[in-house]
Amino acid sequence: MAFDHRRKYCFWSILGLMLLFASIAAAQEPNKARVMILGVYHFQNPNADVIKTDYPDHLSEKKQSEIAEVLGLLSEFKPTKIIVEATPENDSLQNDFQKFLKGEYTLTANEIDQLGFRLAKRLGHKRIYLADNRMGMDFNAVMAAAQETKNVKFLSTFQKAMAEITELQKRHAQISVREALSELNEPQLQDRTKDLYLQMNHVRNKEKYVGADVLAGWYQRNFRILTNILQTIESPQDRVLVIFGQGHAPYLREGITSDPNLQLVEPNDYLRKK
């Protein structure tokens, strides 16, 4: 019995040491860099997307006040880096930001200026970060193939989704910037956005996988954007705000959550603060 008692004592001692070492290792493990993906609509809408929508003038006194509200809420995240939807080789945008810091640049209504530039200056940042990768998306080819093959399933699904998105954008034109952005950044909407793009997989003709090929190009662009984002993160102490069109958000969010060294931060944890 004495032997059994010592053996049990030894087991619990070893287990206790293992737990102690594990807790020490956990305490010493560096914090994860935090990344917020803020999906936005285009403040200065170039109507380059599939759906065309006219938004109010975001340089108006009313919209400027609403944007100031959003900047105040986002500043509470205390980002150390701000990434916007422009290609890394866009030197003119970097030059514009430097001019803005010196008071030599007049802001446009573009969300890069209104959110990216203004918030970066407010937080004392010396530069802005760029992560886009421009690739064409031949959606016309998808529609042509769907019509050619009489793909009623895709066409009806697409038309219904476009009607819903059009109504959503009309609503966003009537509510505040904060309210519109908070709706765009609901996690459930990210899933619906991704599902809509995936519907293109239903489209092909006899010779080509038209929908799948166009969708692959869309994924490739987002993977490249994600690579550019990841290369800006240099420290576990980084707090990164990524400002991109909402269509990109589902893929960028997935990339961040799949990385064991990163923590995804929800924009609505800040945008919906009272």
Side-chain angles (χ1 to χ4, degrees), residues 135-146:
M135 296 180 66
M137 185 179 187
D138 194 356
F139 192 76
N140 289 334
V142 178
M143 293 300 294

Side-chain angles (χ1 to χ4, degrees), residues 26-261:
Q28 292 177 342
E29 184 179 47
N31 293 327
K32 296 181 178 181
R34 297 184 179 185
V35 182
M36 177 189 292
I37 306 296
L38 178 68
V40 299
Y41 61 93
H42 295 304
F43 289 7
Q44 189 177 39
N45 196 342
N47 277 326
D49 295 329
V50 174
I51 298 178
K52 316 301 181 187
T53 304
D54 292 323
Y55 284 102
D57 181 8
H58 279 54
L59 293 178
S60 68
E61 183 177 349
K62 182 175 185 294
K63 286 300 175 184
Q64 285 292 292
S65 176
E66 293 173 1
I67 291 171
E69 177 190 21
V70 170
L71 294 175
L73 294 171
L74 292 176
S75 67
E76 294 183 20
F77 173 52
K78 298 181 175 64
T80 59
K81 294 176 180 177
I82 296 175
I83 301 175
V84 297
E85 190 172 347
T87 57
E89 58 270 21
N90 191 335
D91 294 333
S92 63
L93 191 141
Q94 289 286 11
N95 292 335
D96 287 344
F97 179 64
Q98 295 306 315
K99 290 177 182 177
F100 176 59
L101 294 181
K102 299 174 185 177
E104 301 171 355
Y105 175 76
T106 301
L107 294 173
T108 70
N110 190 290
E111 65 276 7
I112 291 177
D113 287 13
Q114 293 296 321
L115 296 179
F117 280 21
R118 290 175 65 179
L119 188 57
K121 182 176 182 178
R122 177 174 182 159
L123 297 172
H125 294 189
K126 302 303 181 184
R127 63 165 298 182
I128 204 89
Y129 291 83
L130 318 179
D132 198 8
N133 182 264
R134 295 292 182 185
M135 296 180 66
M137 185 179 187
D138 194 356
F139 192 76
N140 289 334
V142 178
M143 293 300 294
Q147 291 166 353
E148 176 191 344
T149 58
K150 297 180 173 57
N151 191 329
V152 177
K153 180 178 181 180
F154 171 79
L155 291 172
S156 61
T157 300
F158 174 77
Q159 290 172 356
K160 181 181 178 181
M162 292 303 100
E164 291 177 357
I165 295 172
T166 299
E167 288 304 312
L168 179 66
Q169 292 187 342
K170 287 180 180 178
R171 168 176 161 73
H172 287 169
Q174 302 300 320
I175 60 180
S176 73
V177 174
R178 180 188 64 80
E179 290 170 328
L181 291 179
S182 64
E183 285 193 6
L184 282 177
N185 286 280
E186 278 293 331
Q188 295 86 346
L189 183 60
Q190 314 313 317
D191 294 338
R192 289 176 58 197
T193 299
K194 187 176 179 182
D195 289 346
L196 174 59
Y197 279 104
L198 288 173
Q199 296 308 309
M200 287 191 284
N201 269 318
H202 289 280
V203 180
R204 68 160 297 181
N205 56 26
K206 293 180 180 179
E207 293 80 22
K208 298 179 181 179
Y209 291 87
V210 181
D213 290 347
V214 170
L215 186 59
W218 174 245
Y219 269 80
Q220 184 180 28
R221 179 183 176 188
N222 283 287
F223 287 151
R224 289 181 176 185
I225 292 169
L226 180 61
T227 296
N228 289 336
I229 292 171
L230 296 177
Q231 289 184 340
T232 69
I233 301 173
E234 302 170 306
S235 163
Q237 282 70 51
D238 274 336
R239 300 171 67 88
V240 182
L241 171 62
V242 181
I243 303 171
F244 258 73
Q246 189 271 336
H248 300 280
Y251 314 96
L252 303 182
R253 287 168 58 92
E254 276 193 349
I256 299 304
T257 55
S258 69
D259 193 312
N261 298 310

